[in-house]
Amino acid sequence: MDKVISWYIKNKVEKTIGNLEKNNICGLFVNNNFELREKIKQLIPDGSRVGIGDSVTLFDTGIVDLLRNGSYDFLDKYKDGITSEEKKQLYQANFSADTFLSGTSALTEHGELSNIDGNGSRVAPMIYGPAQVIIVVGVNKIVSDLAEAEKRVRNYAAPLDAKRLNKNTPCATLGYCVDCKSPERICNTFVVIKRQFTKDRIKVIIVNEQLGY
C-alpha cells in the first residue's frame, strides 16, 4: 500500500479507536484476515455459545468457517436446509449467546456504530443480550459522521445488499435509495449506538482491508 495512504488510514483509525474508547467501546486494529481470526480466537473461549448477524464481512474474512470448525456452540443461521422457523429460534437464542458477532453498516470517526436493518435480528443483539458483542469492520466503512454514515448505507451498502439478496426493490435496480415503500424493503430499522453502558461489552475490530458492503 502507498505510504501516504497508509499514513492517512492510520491517523483515521487511531482517531476512531480513541473515540470508541471514550464511548466505553473497545477498539482494536488488525492488519489482515489472519490477524483477525487469531484475535477472534483470543476473545472467544472454547465452549462459548456464539451467534452471528447477517454479514458479508464474516464470510469474506473466514470467520464463519472458523466458528463452524472451532470448539463452539455455534448458532449457525447459514447451515444447509435450515427452515424459517429454525432460523427464528436461532435469532431468539442470540440474546442468550456468550458472544454475538456481526459487521456494521458504518463506523464514524466519533466512535459511533450506524446500522440499517431489515427485521432487526442483527441490531437487536448488538443493543442488548449477549455478554460480548464483536463487530468486524473494514477500513472502508469508517466515515466522518452520522450524516455520511446514513448516506453511505442508503446509496451504497443497502442497494448492494438488496441486489445480493435478490430483493424486488427500486434500489436493487437503480443502485441508489428512493426511500421506497416496497414490501421487500430492507431499510426498516435505523439504529445508532453512540455509547455503551457496560464498558467494553462491544468490541470493534477494525481490519486494514476493504471488507463487505
Side-chain angles (χ1 to χ4, degrees), residues 59-137:
F59 273 101
D60 288 348
T61 55
I63 297 304
V64 173
D65 287 336
L66 171 67
L67 296 174
R68 283 174 172 167
N69 298 320
S71 301
Y72 310 109
D73 176 15
F74 178 36
L75 305 172
D76 189 355
K77 61 174 285 185
Y78 296 111
K79 63 184 178 182
D80 292 338
I82 190 170
T83 66
S84 296
E85 182 57 34
E86 288 172 332
K87 188 174 286 189
K88 181 179 179 180
Q89 291 173 1
L90 288 182
Y91 289 156
Q92 293 172 338
N94 281 334
F95 288 102
S96 61
D98 299 303
T99 296
F100 180 78
L101 290 104
S102 181
T104 189
S105 302
L107 169 64
T108 76
E109 292 181 18
H110 299 286
E112 303 154 321
L113 295 165
S114 176
N115 283 282
I116 296 179
D117 212 11
N119 63 10
S121 62
R122 179 174 63 106
V123 295
M126 291 186 192
I127 298 169
Y128 184 81
Q132 173 176 243
V133 174
I134 298 175
I135 306 297
V136 179
V137 56

Side-chain angles (χ1 to χ4, degrees), residues 22-205:
K22 292 176 183 177
N23 295 337
N24 276 351
I25 299 172
C26 176
L28 302 165
F29 177 77
V30 295
N31 286 297
N32 50 52
N33 293 342
F34 174 78
E35 290 185 6
L36 169 66
R37 291 190 292 272
E38 292 303 303
K39 180 62 68 176
I40 293 292
K41 286 189 281 188
Q42 292 172 17
L43 293 173
I44 306 178
D46 288 349
S48 295
R49 190 176 221 202
V50 182
I52 59 171
D54 194 21
S55 171
V56 172
T57 294
L58 295 183
F59 273 101
D60 288 348
T61 55
I63 297 304
V64 173
D65 287 336
L66 171 67
L67 296 174
R68 283 174 172 167
N69 298 320
S71 301
Y72 310 109
D73 176 15
F74 178 36
L75 305 172
D76 189 355
K77 61 174 285 185
Y78 296 111
K79 63 184 178 182
D80 292 338
I82 190 170
T83 66
S84 296
E85 182 57 34
E86 288 172 332
K87 188 174 286 189
K88 181 179 179 180
Q89 291 173 1
L90 288 182
Y91 289 156
Q92 293 172 338
N94 281 334
F95 288 102
S96 61
D98 299 303
T99 296
F100 180 78
L101 290 104
S102 181
T104 189
S105 302
L107 169 64
T108 76
E109 292 181 18
H110 299 286
E112 303 154 321
L113 295 165
S114 176
N115 283 282
I116 296 179
D117 212 11
N119 63 10
S121 62
R122 179 174 63 106
V123 295
M126 291 186 192
I127 298 169
Y128 184 81
Q132 173 176 243
V133 174
I134 298 175
I135 306 297
V136 179
V137 56
V139 292
N140 53 305
K141 291 190 178 182
I142 301 177
V143 297
S144 59
D145 54 30
L146 290 174
E148 186 181 345
E150 183 170 341
K151 182 178 179 181
R152 180 190 186 281
V153 179
R154 278 184 176 275
N155 296 300
Y156 181 74
L160 289 178
D161 215 29
K163 189 74 172 178
R164 175 180 70 90
L165 297 170
N166 295 313
K167 295 295 184 180
N168 183 23
T169 58
C171 69
T173 300
L174 300 172
Y176 57 86
C177 178
V178 295
D179 198 18
C180 73
K181 305 301 180 185
S182 168
E184 297 190 21
R185 171 175 166 147
I186 64 172
C187 296
N188 298 316
T189 305
F190 290 63
V191 172
V192 173
I193 299 176
K194 287 178 170 284
R195 183 177 170 83
Q196 274 295 278
F197 186 82
T198 303
K199 181 174 173 56
D200 295 343
R201 172 182 172 267
I202 292 181
K203 298 173 178 65
V204 176
I205 306 178

